[in-house]
Amino acid sequence: MRRSTSSAFFVYQHGAALLIFMLFIFLVATSWILGQSGGTSARNQLDKATATTMAQAKEALIGRAATDANRPGSLTCPDVSNDGVADGVAGNCTSFIGRFPWKTLDLPELLDGNGERLWYALSPGLRDNPAAQPINPQKALELTLDGTTNIAAIIFSPGPPLANQNSRPSNAVADYLDGSNNDGDNTYVSGPPSATFNDKALAITRDDIFRNVNKRVLAEIRGPDAPGGPSYGLRRYYNDFGNFPWADSNNDGIADVGTSSGNLPYNDLELKALPPLPSIHLAVSERLAATGQLPAT
């Protein structure tokens, strides 16, 4: 009888120990899963904040290109001194890669999810300088991202420093951007995060820029529908003469009678403030020139 009681007690102890061990394993596994879930959630929040900030920067650059007073489509230089101000003289950029010039663009300081300021690469062909002319939708641009050509600009989130980036804060590109993104050429890459790469890149394509610039330029050509009468554009010409101008055949900005297809007569339209306009082709039917039927935009 005593042996039977002892055996039962042993079985009870063994079962209790097994239950405790299983409970311990369950708690460890649950803790690990919750930790992983919490880490993923935190990373997702950081990535979301970064994506929002980069989208703001992209929108600001496109808006700046569309509203530039003298060279629609041009972009501001990068900031190489980390003060938020674009660095360059009359559009001759100190460098075509640097930090995002948030002060120049009248924005609040834009930080990625890790608290780092954004970086910015500019295609030299879109700098705000007369030497960059012509600036138009057909112009071949220098930057590439992952093999895609005709990139106007790239916005970067540098992310936290990698093992070999131990000199932050600094103004050195290599302390922030990784791999071939810091080698000084016009070829850039993106990719999944790793121990040696954690840049996030957002491209602004040529089409992104000129989709908005073209609307602005065409609106300038048409002219305002002002209560006191339009001061420039096709509307002003029609208001003054009762018809629309012929095209310009010799690129002097003056309409040439009988020329139904040619350059825009920008001088006749009082559009001297928009240098890209002489490259715009104008096709005018005889009926349009004679009757002044204004096409819809």
Side-chain angles (χ1 to χ4, degrees), residues 109-123:
E109 183 180 18
L110 297 182
L111 304 177
D112 68 12
N114 296 287
E116 293 284 357
R117 288 177 174 171
L118 301 180
W119 283 69
Y120 161 58
L122 167 66
S123 185

Side-chain angles (χ1 to χ4, degrees), residues 52-131:
T52 298
T53 299
M54 294 174 75
Q56 283 182 275
K58 177 175 180 176
E59 182 179 356
L61 286 170
I62 292 173
R64 189 263 183 220
T67 57
D68 186 78
N70 60 347
R71 274 177 285 278
S74 66
L75 291 170
T76 187
C77 296
D79 162 27
V80 299
S81 54
N82 198 20
D83 59 1
V85 178
D87 286 298
V89 178
N92 282 318
C93 300
T94 304
S95 172
F96 291 105
I97 185 166
R99 287 184 174 85
F100 181 76
W102 53 277
K103 283 185 180 178
T104 298
L105 294 168
D106 294 323
L107 293 172
E109 183 180 18
L110 297 182
L111 304 177
D112 68 12
N114 296 287
E116 293 284 357
R117 288 177 174 171
L118 301 180
W119 283 69
Y120 161 58
L122 167 66
S123 185
L126 292 184
R127 66 193 185 280
D128 191 1
N129 182 273

Side-chain angles (χ1 to χ4, degrees), residues 6 201 276:
S6 176

Side-chain angles (χ1 to χ4, degrees), residues 156-194:
F156 293 98
S157 161
L162 300 177
N164 62 336
Q165 293 173 330
N166 49 21
S167 297
R168 297 187 189 183
S170 78
N171 293 326
V173 180
D175 285 333
Y176 293 86
L177 302 186
D178 313 325
S180 62
N181 289 342
N182 64 36
D183 62 7
D185 62 19
N186 290 322
T187 302
Y188 293 91
V189 297
S190 63
S194 69

Side-chain angles (χ1 to χ4, degrees), residues 228-240:
S231 58
Y232 62 87
L234 289 170
R235 279 194 168 114
R236 185 206 64 79
Y237 193 96
Y238 179 74
N239 189 64
D240 290 349

Side-chain angles (χ1 to χ4, degrees), residues 46 63 138 188:
L46 292 179
Q138 290 77 42
Y188 293 91

